[in-house]
Amino acid sequence: MKQLGRLRYVGVTTSHGRRHAELEKIMLTQPIDFVQATYNAIDREVEQRILPIARERGIAFIANRPFQRGSLVDWAKKHPLPGFAREFECDNWASLLLKFIVSHPAVTCAIPATTRLDHLFENMSAMRGIVPEQKMRETLVKYIAAL
Ligand SMILES: NC(=O)c1ccc[n+]([C@@H]2O[C@H](COP(=O)([O-])OP(=O)(O)OC[C@H]3O[C@@H](n4cnc5c(N)ncnc54)[C@H](OP(=O)(O)O)[C@@H]3O)[C@@H](O)[C@H]2O)c1
């Protein structure tokens, strides 16, 4: 179908950390263009195998459930924005959480869902400013784990 021009990209998706072993097997054996799986500052299992394989094989990675369907960002917003958010060039929790995801070198994009325009603006602001380095990313993970 690709050769006929009927499909441009072929990939597989999963979520909630399900069936990563199967996903990995497909990535290693099939000529796919992208995968989609859950990745955020709490759900980080894909950092072990899936993201390194994606990077190595040039497979695009789409991060779903970036806010754990809202519960992660709702919970984060109950706490003050950390001082180091300034270094991330983020002025809200949603963009901080999204910048963590899209700054991983193997991540192609994150797909936050929203029904609200004000949330859309917050989320889109993650596309501005610096791309945090690994050390900064780890600071965020540790901060969230300690909250
Ligand atoms: N392929 C798969 O197996 C699979 C599985 C799961 C999800 N997905 C896809 O992944 C995407 C996201 O999924 P999701 O909806 O589960 O998770 P999500 O993007 O992690 O969470 C969406 C929730 O976050 C809230 N939200 C968004 N921006 C916010 C902000 N700035 N501040 C506060 N709350 C905010 C939204 O509420 P408001 O409407 O109030 O903003 C909504 O309830 C969707 O496109 C979905 O189709 C794919």
Side-chain angles (χ1 to χ4, degrees), residues 13 15 36 65-67 69 77 111 113-115 119 122-123:
T13 80
S15 71
Q36 182 189 136
R65 288 178 55 82
F67 298 138
R69 197 140 199 218
K77 282 181 175 186
I111 51 170
T114 183
T115 56
H119 288 171
E122 284 186 354
N123 301 349

Side-chain angles (χ1 to χ4, degrees), residues 24 39 63 73 110 135 143 146:
E24 181 181 331
Y39 183 46
V73 69
K135 241 188 167 152
Y143 184 82

